[in-house]
Structure formats: structure tokens, C-alpha cells
Amino acid sequence: MSHTTKASGQRQLWHQVTLFDGARTHDTPMTVVMNEGRIERLLPSEQVPTQWLEDGSIAGQGGVITPGLIDCHTHLVFGGNRANEFEQRLEGVSYADIAAQGGGILSTVNATRAATEDELFASAKPRLEALIADGVTTVEIKSGYGLSLGHERKMLRVARRLGSELPVDIVTTFLGAHALPPEYKGRADDYITEVCEHMLPAIAAEQLADAVDVFCENIAFTTAQCERVFQAAQKLGLSVKGHVEQLSNQHGSELCARYQALSVDHIEWLDDTGIEAIKDSGTVATLLPGAFYTLRDTKVPPIEQLRKAGIPMAIATDANPGSSPIFQLTLMLNMACTLFRLTPTEALQGVTSNAARALGIHYTHGTLAEGRTATFCHWQVEHPAELAYSIQPNRLRQRVYKGQITHNSQGGSGHLFEM
Ligand code: DI6
Ligand code: FE
């Protein structure tokens, strides 16, 4: 068999689709051509050679194509759940009060420490499958509920294993500085020393983490303590990022900017000085509307200022058992628009190109372009804005991951498009 025959035999087309490529929505009907696992061409449908339509197979027609979605901030691996605290909060106890009473993150730490690797894998898998069914093809997963080398390592191994067993790219982040473990009560600086001198080097040596995160907050670690973690990460050549300015302004964003952090996450309390600092550092502003919603926050991140400063904005689920028990990224598109007033285009950039940037993988992920690995979603909607506009599951018609169709459905009850 000649090479040409083989190549054209494998050509698959998504014809006359509305294309959002990660940056913009094309205004003419487009055709996505896949060949040997790559995007061979992205071209206006009217320019598709007739021969291709005859030879190649039409894998889809009509609807919308976007890059595979990227959830760039999750705590997907954890033991137990916190439905009891949900009830407490409904009775008026605050998230910070629950944390101060030894609940919150620490109750998940207890449950995570008690779980085996297999148990953590089994509980995380359906959560990841929910994201996958919603069009997600890359997920960042943080540690941070182990808070000792052994348990943090266990979490990160589970994250890596999820990526090897399911059709999804997993990016791992070491979040040893998430909360103070009970055995270090009153000795936060000593715990940070343990993180910097023992845990982080061991995790780096095993290549279990792609980046390092911290929780810089009055209920967590000080800016000075977070800086020590960043210094240790920098020495090991690992990129950093931070949970900053979520509940108060600790100027964590300025710290992040000084260490060229990949992203500053939450940032409800980000002020002008913080914006000025991250403006030129290449740092992405990651918005987590699910946590804002769950905690019934009222302080909205400074969207207009971020927009004016040209700072890229990403959106993620922050999927975790406490402040954001949410495993649906398309719902975050809606919340980013409804709660934070992003435009649907900004929201879509936030789960594609800008989310890739927040993970430092934008050279390979988050944008559809000729020559790239074919990882994309075919949606049963007529315009990309609909993905943000309505809250509706089962709109994913096909999910293509690294050239393989890993999901194929008619999507709900309607049959909008002819195959
Ligand atoms: N901020 C968050 O939103 C999560 N961690 C963090 O530092 C919440 C974690 C939790 O409540 O379990
Ligand atoms: Fe988080």
C-alpha cells in the first residue's frame, strides 16, 4: 500500500462546523480535517476539495467544534466528602470558622490519609469521568490533602495513574503548603521547612509533580512562608502558582509575579498593586466561580481591571470536597458569565487557550491549529456561546482525544444534525 493511499484512507472530516479555535469563533463554516492523529487542515468548507469528501470519511457535520476543554485547577483526588459541613454552613457557620474548628481541609486530610491508593483511585475515577463526559481532555490535579511525604506522594501517584488509565492528560501539582497538619500545630514554620527540605525534593526526584502550589491566606500560610516554598521549587526547576487573595488580600499575587508564577488563582481580593505586578509577568489570572458560588462570596474578582490590563483569564472548577464540590466545567462557563460578567468568548478562552497557558502547556494544548495533535470536542449546539448560555449536560456529541474518538453520542434526545 502506498503511503498516499494509506494517508487519504485515514482522513476524517468534520464538515460545515462552527469553529472556536481557542481564540475566536470563525465566521464562515469550517472543516476540520484529521489525518494520522493530527489536524491536517482547518479550512473554510467551501474550499474543501471534492475528492476529500468522496475519499475521506465524514465523521461529523454541523454543530460546533472547540479544542478539548482544560480544567486547570482541581483537587480531584481526596478521601470522604464534606456534606456535613455543607449542612453546617446552611446553619450559618462560616467556611473559615469550620476550618478553625479543625474541620474543613483537615477533615479531608484525615479521610485522605485513611484511604489506600486504590480507594483514592476508585473514588476519583467517576469524578474524572464526569469531567471527561463534559468535554474535558486535560485536567490539573493537586495534592494537598496528605500533608506528609507519604500521603502527598500517594495522592500524586493516584493522579498520574488516572492519566494512564483514562483518555485524558493529567498535569500534577504539589500543594504541600495547603493547610497545617495537626502534628505541626503551632509550628507552621517548621512544617514549611519540612515541605521545602524533605517533601518537595523527594517529590521532584520521583517526577511526581509538574508544578508547585501554595495557599497564601490568613487561614493558611503567610506570604513569607509561601516565598520559602517558591524558593525551594525554583531551586528544583519547578514552576509555581498560588491560591491567593481568595478570602483576604495578603499580596500573594505580587509574590507570585516575582517568581513568574504560571497563575494566580481565586483573586477575589486582588487590588491594583497586584494587577500591576502580574501584568508583565506572563501570569494567568485563574477564576474559580464555583468556589465563589459555593461560599456565597460577594467580592467579585476585578474583571474589568484584568481585562484592561490585558491579563489572560482562565476558568476552572476548583473541584474539591469543601469549597467547590463541582465536577462540570461547562457549568463554570455559565457561572463565569453570570457571576463575573465575562463574555462567552472570554469564558471559552478561559477553558481552552488561557487554561493551557495557566499550565504552561500552551505550545501543545488549548488551541486548534494545523499540525497539532487532534484533541477536540464536537458539540450539539449551533454557536459556541450556547455552551456558556445554558446549563445543560449531554451536549457533547464527539470527543476526540489524540486522534481517537473516545466518545460518540447523539447528545440528549434531539437529533439536530444529519450525519
Ligand atoms: N482553596 C480552595 O478553594 C480549596 N483549597 C484552597 O486552598 C478548598 C479546599 C477545601 O476546602 O477542601
Ligand atoms: Fe483550589
Side-chain angles (χ1 to χ4, degrees):
M1 190 163 53
S2 82
H3 180 73
T4 352
T5 320
K6 185 175 165 233
S8 67
Q10 292 181 348
R11 193 173 271 143
Q12 283 183 294
L13 284 80
W14 281 261
H15 195 45
Q16 285 167 336
V17 299
T18 300
L19 177 67
F20 173 78
D21 62 13
R24 69 183 183 99
T25 299
H26 293 247
D27 48 21
T28 50
M30 295 289 287
T31 297
V32 177
V33 182
M34 179 169 89
N35 199 346
E36 304 207 317
R38 299 202 164 266
I39 295 176
E40 184 182 15
R41 294 292 306 276
L42 289 176
L43 73 174
S45 297
E46 56 178 32
Q47 291 174 19
V48 175
T50 330
Q51 173 111 34
W52 286 13
L53 293 172
E54 286 162 6
D55 294 355
S57 67
I58 304 242
Q61 192 153 8
V64 164
I65 284 196
T66 68
L69 307 187
I70 299 174
D71 194 348
C72 67
H73 179 142
T74 86
H75 308 250
L76 206 73
V77 172
F78 57 83
N81 73 64
R82 307 231 293 272
N84 58 331
E85 292 178 11
F86 177 65
E87 291 181 310
Q88 275 182 281
R89 289 207 309 275
L90 288 169
E91 284 159 14
V93 190
S94 77
Y95 182 72
D97 287 344
I98 291 171
Q101 290 158 16
I105 294 175
L106 286 185
S107 75
T108 299
V109 171
N110 290 334
T112 304
R113 285 179 170 184
T116 64
E117 226 165 282
D118 283 344
E119 285 165 349
L120 289 177
F121 179 85
S123 66
K125 191 169 173 238
R127 301 193 277 262
L128 183 56
E129 284 168 339
L131 291 176
I132 288 173
D134 195 38
V136 174
T137 52
T138 301
V139 181
E140 183 260 17
I141 300 180
K142 301 174 196 297
S143 67
Y145 292 123
L147 309 184
S148 72
L149 176 57
H151 292 298
E152 288 288 296
R153 184 195 266 142
K154 173 175 73 176
M155 290 186 72
L156 293 167
R157 281 207 192 116
V158 170
R160 288 272 195 244
R161 185 174 151 204
L162 287 164
S164 67
E165 294 193 21
L166 294 165
V168 61
D169 288 348
I170 299 292
V171 175
T172 59
T173 304
F174 172 62
L175 177 55
H178 191 198
L180 190 62
E183 59 276 19
Y184 278 89
K185 200 169 164 71
R187 296 187 297 132
D189 284 318
D190 291 349
Y191 178 63
I192 293 296
T193 302
E194 168 70 9
V195 167
C196 296
E197 292 178 11
H198 183 211
M199 294 161 75
L200 189 44
I203 300 254
E206 290 180 52
Q207 299 191 332
L208 280 171
D210 301 314
V212 175
D213 198 347
V214 295
F215 189 13
C216 184
E217 191 52 70
N218 54 21
I219 59 164
F221 296 99
T222 65
T223 314
Q225 287 163 343
C226 293
E227 177 154 19
R228 290 177 57 204
V229 178
F230 284 0
Q231 282 167 345
Q234 197 173 50
K235 253 197 237 156
L236 294 162
L238 287 166
S239 306
V240 301
K241 52 177 56 198
H243 283 73
V244 295
E245 276 68 278
Q246 179 187 5
L247 309 169
S248 65
N249 185 2
Q250 304 288 323
H251 303 280
S253 299
E254 286 137 75
L255 169 68
C256 285
R258 278 197 281 121
Y259 285 82
Q260 269 107 44
L262 288 168
S263 64
V264 287
D265 300 39
H266 286 289
I267 57 168
E268 278 82 349
W269 291 82
L270 181 67
D271 64 9
D272 288 348
T273 321
I275 288 184
E276 205 47 47
I278 58 173
K279 199 164 85 176
D280 301 314
S281 62
T283 303
V284 172
T286 298
L287 308 171
L288 305 169
F292 176 93
Y293 164 82
T294 302
L295 300 179
R296 301 182 75 223
D297 219 333
T298 49
K299 179 95 173 134
V300 176
I303 304 302
E304 190 48 39
Q305 288 91 321
L306 289 166
R307 203 181 261 142
K308 272 203 197 119
I311 295 165
M313 292 183 273
I315 294 162
T317 58
D318 195 17
N320 76 69
S323 63
S324 192
I326 302 179
F327 308 94
Q328 188 182 346
L329 189 57
T330 53
L331 173 59
M332 298 304 98
L333 294 174
N334 178 273
M335 285 192 184
C337 297
T338 306
L339 301 173
F340 294 168
R341 315 309 286 167
L342 263 67
T343 67
T345 297
E346 286 172 331
L348 283 162
Q349 290 165 345
V351 296
T352 55
S353 51
N354 289 344
R357 190 171 286 275
L359 298 177
I361 57 171
H362 46 294
Y363 296 107
T364 49
H365 290 64
T367 307
L368 289 174
E370 291 179 356
R372 283 204 175 185
T373 301
T375 294
F376 57 85
C377 294
H378 183 211
W379 301 93
Q380 182 125 341
V381 294
E382 283 177 30
H383 192 276
E386 284 173 56
L387 294 171
Y389 152 74
S390 71
I391 300 174
Q392 187 178 344
N394 301 326
R395 290 177 296 181
L396 183 63
R397 183 162 177 154
Q398 285 163 319
R399 176 183 183 274
V400 178
Y401 174 73
K402 293 186 175 161
Q404 301 290 322
I405 299 175
T406 63
H407 172 99
N408 209 340
S409 84
Q410 291 303 310
S413 55
H415 294 259
L416 279 178
F417 311 109
E418 294 299 318
M419 282 292 272

